[in-house]
Amino acid sequence: MNGSLQDAFAKVRADSRLQFVFPSVTPPPKPPHWLVALSQGLMVVFKLIGSLWPVLKVVIWLVIVTALITGVVYLALFAWRCRRRSSRAPKKTVAMALEAWRPSEGQARALLAEADAMAAAGRFEEAAHLLLLRSVEDIQNRRPAAVRPSLTSRDIANLDALPAAARDAFSTIAAVVEASWFGGRSVDADGFIRCRRVYEAFALPEAWVRA
C-alpha cells in the first residue's frame, strides 16, 4: 500500500505541469505615514459629507436656483436696455430730420420780426403771406426737385418729403392765406397770430421746450 502511494506521489512529482516549489514573496512595503493620515482624513471628510448631505443638497439647490434667477434677471435687463435703445433711435432720427428742415434761428427771428412789423401796421394779410412765401422758399432750398411751379400750397403741404411737424405748420399758414386769397376772407390779427405761433413752434427750438 505504501509502495503504491509512493509510486503515485512520484508520478505526480514527475509531472512538469504541476508546481510543488513556491518562491517566497516579499510583502509590499507599508504606505508612508502621511498617506495613511491623508486617507484617514478623507474618510472622515466623506463621512461628514454623508451625514450633512441632506443639508448640503438643499444648499446646492439654492445655489442653482439663485444662479438661474440671476441669469434670467440679467437677460431681462439686457433685453430691456436693447429695447430702450431701439425705441430712442427713431426719436433721434425724427429730431435730426426736423433739425434739417428748420431754418436757422437768426433767419427765423428776422422773418418773425419783419412779419410782426407788418402786423403792427395792420397788414395782417401781407404778414401771413410773407410767412408762407419764406416757408416755400425754405422747402425749395431743401428739396429743389420736389417743389414744382405748378404745385399749390396744399400740394406742397402734402409732399412726402416734409416731416410731420413741418407739414402741420405749413398747412396752417397755407390755409389762412388761401382763405384770404381765394375765399375772400381777410386775415385779421387772430389769423396772423395763429400763423405766427405755428411757424415759431416749428422754427425756434426754445418754443418746443416751452410747449
Side-chain angles (χ1 to χ4, degrees):
M1 187 71 178
N2 291 334
S4 298
L5 288 174
Q6 290 178 354
D7 292 339
F9 181 70
K11 289 180 180 180
V12 172
R13 292 291 302 269
D15 191 349
S16 60
R17 295 173 298 176
L18 301 177
Q19 182 179 358
F20 295 94
V21 179
F22 299 94
S24 61
V25 178
T26 304
K30 293 182 178 181
H33 180 71
W34 65 269
L35 186 57
V36 175
L38 177 61
S39 62
Q40 292 176 350
L42 290 176
M43 290 298 296
V44 173
V45 171
F46 290 151
K47 289 181 179 180
L48 180 62
I49 292 175
S51 62
L52 297 178
W53 177 245
V55 178
L56 291 177
K57 185 166 60 175
V58 175
V59 173
I60 292 173
W61 277 111
L62 287 176
V63 171
I64 294 174
V65 172
T66 302
L68 290 175
I69 293 175
T70 303
V72 171
V73 171
Y74 176 80
L75 291 176
L77 288 175
F78 180 77
W80 176 75
R81 290 175 182 175
C82 292
R83 185 175 181 180
R84 188 177 180 185
R85 290 174 184 174
S86 62
S87 63
R88 286 180 176 179
K91 295 180 181 179
K92 292 181 179 179
T93 303
V94 171
M96 292 174 64
L98 289 175
E99 192 63 30
W101 279 91
R102 281 196 195 108
S104 67
E105 184 177 349
Q107 291 175 336
R109 291 190 181 281
L111 174 59
L112 289 174
E114 187 177 354
D116 287 341
M118 291 180 178
R123 298 156 54 191
F124 301 114
E125 183 176 342
E126 294 181 41
H129 192 222
L130 177 64
L131 293 178
L132 179 64
L133 289 179
R134 293 292 178 82
S135 298
V136 173
E137 291 177 2
D138 289 339
I139 296 174
Q140 287 176 329
N141 291 334
R142 287 165 174 77
R143 293 291 188 276
V147 180
R148 299 188 301 274
S150 60
L151 295 181
T152 65
S153 299
R154 188 172 301 177
D155 294 331
I156 296 174
N158 292 326
L159 290 175
D160 294 334
L162 282 178
R167 181 181 296 108
D168 293 342
F170 186 83
S171 298
T172 300
I173 299 173
V176 173
V177 174
E178 285 184 351
S180 172
W181 280 48
F182 303 108
R185 300 177 184 175
S186 60
V187 180
D188 55 9
D190 291 337
F192 167 71
I193 291 175
R194 188 163 70 254
C195 294
R196 189 190 191 285
R197 284 177 177 172
V198 295
Y199 182 84
E200 181 186 20
F202 171 71
L204 298 180
E206 61 269 21
W208 289 66
V209 176
R210 288 200 304 270

